Amino acid sequence: MGNKVDAMSTLDTVPERVRYLSEVAPHKELFVFYDGHQRSAYTAADVYQMAGRFATKLRQRGFQRHDIVANTLLNSPERVVTDLGIILAGCVAMNSQIILADGKDFVHAANKSECKGVIMSTAGNSPAWSLLKGDVTEEKPSFFARVANQQLPHLQTAVLVSRATNGHGLSFLEELKSCTDEPFAEDIRADDTVVIFSTSGTTGYSKLVPHSNHHILQMSSAMAEAARGRGTVAHPGLNTQPFYNDRLLGEFIA
């Protein structure tokens, strides 16, 4: 297994590593979430298949390489799958926080980045859903919807994420698990921008911080080194460390 880890270190993009892990360690748990005492774990195969199928749906919807997609979901399995799916599609995942009640911070970031899509939860009092629900037209049974808002001229598509069942009796993730689409992974370069982090917004509108594949993999290596320094236990057979993160996904800490 050590040779497999060494082989992965030669892969210089996120899509290459996600696909490689799904092939050599399909049952390895990559992400574990807790909702109260409820534990949900997602293996390398789970993550690649669901994210890759979401990437396929994005491309079918018309998203192209380098298109920016804003993600407003909180830390959740759905956030991991959609962020990785955006990257696998060759697009750029932009973290989007809506802090202001009138949503002007989202409008500012969306227009500055010229993002073409937004991913949002339809549950409860989701800030993005509250802001945009009057501007979307649902296209059942798909979770894609059109967006028409004069303040957001570049925004064309919303992805409506819910754990409630759709017309087929499936939640968002269940639909990705059960569909027959082949996972898609764009052949991108190490210097391609894949994510845009955002600052906390404590000094005004959140600043947008783009990162390439190269930067993301450097940061992940630094986090693994930090975990090793704290003496955490390696996964059997793979020289990787479990790492607990209580920060918001996509938030940039300077």
Side-chain angles (χ1 to χ4, degrees):
M1 293 295 286
N3 290 336
K4 293 179 180 179
V5 175
D6 293 339
M8 189 172 72
S9 67
T10 67
L11 304 175
D12 57 7
T13 70
V14 173
E16 287 176 334
R17 292 199 180 191
V18 174
R19 180 169 50 194
Y20 180 79
L21 272 177
S22 74
E23 293 170 351
V24 302
H27 304 298
K28 173 179 169 57
E29 293 182 351
L30 291 189
F31 296 95
V32 177
F33 289 88
Y34 280 90
D35 184 0
H37 294 293
Q38 182 67 39
R39 182 183 190 272
S40 55
Y42 295 84
T43 67
D46 292 333
V47 170
Y48 177 69
Q49 288 172 0
M50 288 190 292
R53 287 169 178 165
F54 182 60
T56 298
K57 292 183 181 296
L58 286 173
R59 295 300 289 250
Q60 290 172 344
R61 183 72 184 190
F63 285 93
Q64 300 296 319
R65 185 168 175 167
H66 305 308
D67 285 348
I68 295 174
V69 182
N71 201 337
T72 69
L73 300 182
L74 298 177
N75 289 15
S76 61
E78 291 86 352
R79 177 62 188 256
V80 169
V81 167
T82 51
D83 265 353
L84 285 174
I86 293 167
I87 295 170
L88 289 172
C91 302
V92 180
M94 181 175 76
N95 182 56
S96 293
Q97 303 176 103
I98 302 179
I99 300 172
L100 302 180
D102 59 7
K104 285 185 179 178
D105 48 348
F106 174 78
V107 172
H108 172 80
N111 287 334
K112 186 172 184 179
S113 64
E114 299 185 0
C115 75
K116 294 185 178 180
V118 58
I119 298 174
M120 56 187 173
S121 169
T122 59
N125 297 316
S126 160
W129 180 239
S130 298
L131 177 67
L132 295 171
K133 63 183 177 182
D135 303 316
V136 302
T137 303
E138 190 174 355
E139 299 176 354
K140 294 181 179 180
S142 169
F143 38 71
F144 286 101
R146 288 190 295 269
V147 180
N149 184 305
Q150 291 184 348
Q151 295 186 77
L152 300 163
H154 304 285
L155 189 63
Q156 302 170 359
T157 302
V159 181
L160 308 180
V161 176
S162 175
R163 292 183 179 175
T165 56
N166 61 15
H168 297 303
L170 300 172
S171 68
F172 175 78
L173 289 184
E174 288 170 343
E175 183 170 343
L176 292 176
K177 286 180 181 179
S178 64
C179 77
T180 57
D181 291 333
E182 285 295 319
F184 178 84
E186 179 67 69
D187 183 17
I188 60 179
R189 301 189 303 268
D191 60 355
D192 281 338
T193 297
V194 291
V195 298
I196 299 175
F197 289 169
S198 60
T199 57
S200 62
T202 54
T203 58
Y205 290 141
S206 296
K207 298 176 180 63
L208 305 180
V209 186
H211 284 284
S212 66
N213 276 286
H214 177 69
H215 291 146
I216 291 298
L217 296 181
Q218 275 190 325
M219 283 190 284
S220 67
S221 295
M223 291 174 70
E225 286 298 323
R228 275 191 284 272
R230 288 197 299 271
T232 51
V233 180
H235 186 281
L238 281 177
N239 186 25
T240 55
Q241 312 295 324
F243 188 88
Y244 174 74
N245 179 23
D246 63 353
R247 304 301 305 179
L248 292 175
L249 293 173
E251 182 174 301
F252 179 77
I253 306 299

